[in-house]
Amino acid sequence: MNALLGFVAIVMLLYLIMTKKASPVVALIIVPITMALIGGFGKDIITFITDGVKAISTTGVMFIFAILFFGILTDAGTFKPIIRRLLKMAGDDPAKIAVATAILAMVVHLDGSGAVTFLVVIPAMLPVYDALHMRRTTLAMIVALAAGTMNIMPWGGPTIRAATALTVPVTELFNPLLIPVCFGLLGVLVISFLVGRKERQLVNELSSDRSLMENLPPTEEIASIERPKLLWFNYLLILVSITVLITGFIPPHIVFMVAFALAISVNYPNLKDQGKRIDAHAKAAILMASILFAAGCFIGILKGSGMIEAMSQVAVKTIPVSVGQHLPVIVGALSMPASLLFDPDSFYFGIIPVLATTAEQFNVAGIEIGRAAILGQMTTGFPVSPLTGSTYLLIGLTGIDLGEHQKRTIPYAFALTLFMLLVSILIGAIVF
């Protein structure tokens, strides 16, 4: 009975979210409570929900302050000098411009927001690409690969969702993947250079307008909140924060709480300015936090009621041992294409817990399922998925069709995922 209720809960969650019959927050709360009531659970439901929310509370806090931290630094103009320097160094060489595009997208995507990355990078680079007659599909592809790979970072949405679903610390999930992700980013740069070199061959006549190589002058409103004199403080703060985060010396939620407090206090000491800057990023922070806490309700009920355990037992009886022992590798290989079928909430909160518990029945660490999944599902796959608004923003800003963007980008995104999966297997982050 529990297994049936669990499978029905997952199917209902997928249906409601993917058909947009309900928002992820509503579906993650209503569906499990309904199934638990049908299963005859009474007051225990309160305990299940409370335990689930407690388990992901620190992750939710980390995400809120990570968004505020990187948002404050972006407002302060921390990344603008990097943009100008990259454009200046690239000159009119398509290969250099392609690499500069990738680096710029990686830097801007430190805040984990695909929309922000596309809104910053595409307008900055599009005039350059047009002036040199470089294809816009190349711009979209490079930005997508860079942002997608960066989305695996500990504060990225997929990684946080995976950690939440598996109720494990984000650093425990991510740290073994640090080397594969670095190789992945290096792979993005290599792909960008090779594609840029091909663009150089395709360009019939190079005409560069140097005025296009610089960012447009900031508006008065933007200029008023930038803090150019505090650039080195902000760079140092980012470096220290990420270093401490990766070392695991201090829990992630405390790292970003302190980093945010320092960033906003130094850059905007005036209380009124602080309020405005927090308000500017509060919507994004609260939206994601609400989904995470709602996921705590979903996971808490399915775990506490025994539904996940019951589903995993059914799966174990169905899956051959030879397949079950290699489940993380299979998940990793399919993770990028899965972005075309599943949105991140339904995949990480509905499917991953069952797969992880099933893997454990084959003596495979469940956390490896999470590591394998974030190598592609809504990471390298998010900028090509028709299920994310960011994809439409990307193709809208570049003025290309979704089909031609997917045709150009998907093979590279899939190859990057397989490359990182191979590195993960070689270093033991994922056991083959």
Side-chain angles (χ1 to χ4, degrees):
M1 179 64 174
N2 268 0
L4 177 61
L5 289 173
F7 284 122
V8 171
I10 291 176
V11 171
M12 285 184 63
L13 181 70
L14 294 175
Y15 171 76
L16 291 174
I17 294 179
M18 296 179 69
T19 60
K20 301 188 184 301
K21 298 291 185 182
S23 67
V25 174
V26 173
L28 285 166
I29 295 173
I30 298 299
V31 170
I33 291 178
T34 302
M35 291 300 103
L37 289 173
I38 293 175
F41 296 96
K43 292 183 178 180
D44 287 339
I45 296 176
I46 297 175
T47 302
F48 298 156
I49 295 175
T50 302
D51 291 343
V53 171
K54 284 182 179 179
I56 59 94
S57 59
T58 54
T59 302
V61 171
M62 185 204 86
F63 192 83
I64 290 173
F65 284 99
I67 287 182
L68 293 176
F69 172 61
F70 286 112
I72 294 299
L73 295 182
T74 301
D75 290 343
T78 305
F79 306 117
K80 278 204 169 181
I82 298 176
I83 296 175
R84 291 195 177 99
R85 180 65 62 86
L86 285 172
L87 292 177
K88 185 176 181 180
M89 291 174 61
D92 58 3
D93 183 353
K96 291 181 180 179
I97 288 173
V99 173
T101 302
I103 295 174
L104 177 58
M106 292 174 188
V107 172
V108 177
H109 202 75
L110 275 171
D111 73 344
S113 171
V116 171
T117 301
F118 301 152
L119 286 169
V120 171
V121 178
I122 299 301
M125 300 303 298
L126 189 58
V128 180
Y129 276 67
D130 286 346
L132 298 179
H133 307 295
M134 295 174 66
R135 289 174 294 180
R136 292 188 173 194
T137 52
T138 298
L139 171 60
M141 183 265 287
I142 292 173
V143 174
L145 294 180
T149 307
M150 282 294 291
N151 216 33
I152 306 175
M153 290 299 171
W155 52 88
T159 303
I160 288 179
R161 286 179 174 91
T164 300
L166 299 174
T167 59
V168 297
V170 174
T171 50
E172 185 179 341
L173 176 72
F174 172 81
N175 283 3
L177 292 179
L178 179 59
I179 293 177
V181 171
C182 288
F183 271 91
L185 294 173
L186 180 62
V188 172
L189 295 179
V190 171
I191 291 172
S192 300
F193 176 76
L194 295 176
V195 171
R197 192 169 62 176
K198 188 174 182 181
E199 287 288 325
R200 184 198 296 159
Q201 297 171 352
L202 294 173
V203 170
N204 294 324
E205 95 186 348
L206 294 175
S207 60
S208 64
D209 182 345
R210 293 291 177 180
S211 65
L212 293 176
M213 297 299 197
E214 305 252 339
N215 280 344
L216 294 175
T219 63
E220 292 184 8
E221 182 179 354
I222 294 177
S224 67
I225 62 174
E226 291 183 347
R227 299 293 184 265
K229 294 182 179 180
L230 296 172
L231 283 177
W232 291 110
F233 169 79
N234 291 334
Y235 290 145
L236 181 61
L237 186 57
I238 292 174
L239 179 62
V240 172
S241 299
I242 294 179
T243 300
V244 174
L245 178 72
I246 293 175
T247 59
F249 179 68
I250 300 175
H253 61 287
I254 296 179
V255 172
F256 280 114
M257 287 176 73
V258 174
F260 159 73
L262 291 174
I264 196 169
S265 298
V266 174
N267 286 278
Y268 305 102
N270 183 278
L271 291 180
K272 187 176 181 180
D273 291 338
Q274 290 182 5
K276 288 181 178 179
R277 301 281 43 86
I278 292 175
D279 287 344
H281 304 286
K283 181 179 179 181
I286 295 301
L287 177 61
M288 186 61 194
S290 64
I291 293 176
L292 290 177
F293 285 113
C297 171
F298 184 85
I299 301 300
I301 289 178
L302 263 65
K303 280 190 174 182
S305 64
M307 293 182 195
I308 288 181
E309 182 66 28
M311 285 187 288
S312 69
Q313 291 176 0
V314 172
V316 167
K317 295 178 181 178
T318 306
I319 299 174
V321 176
S322 58
V323 174
Q325 292 175 339
H326 303 296
L327 205 53
V329 177
I330 295 172
V331 171
L334 298 177
S335 59
M336 185 269 141
S339 301
L340 305 175
L341 303 174
F342 302 102
D343 69 282
D345 295 315
S346 59
F347 182 82
Y348 284 105
F349 299 137
I351 297 176
I352 286 300
V354 178
L355 290 176
T357 307
T358 300
E360 290 171 353
Q361 304 298 318
F362 293 99
N363 296 318
V364 176
I367 196 171
E368 291 186 22
I369 295 292
R371 289 177 189 148
I374 62 176
L375 292 177
Q377 214 288 333
M378 285 304 172
T379 49
T380 58
F382 97 84
V384 296
S385 174
L387 303 175
T388 61
S390 297
T391 300
Y392 298 100
L393 178 61
L394 174 60
I395 63 175
L397 289 170
T398 50
I400 62 177
D401 294 330
L402 177 61
E404 58 181 334
H405 170 56
Q406 290 179 324
K407 183 179 180 180
R408 186 83 192 279
T409 307
I410 285 178
Y412 288 107
F414 188 42
L416 269 176
T417 296
L418 294 180
F419 176 53
M420 289 188 287
L421 177 61
L422 176 61
V423 176
S424 300
I425 294 172
L426 291 176
I427 68 172
I430 294 174
V431 179
F432 181 72

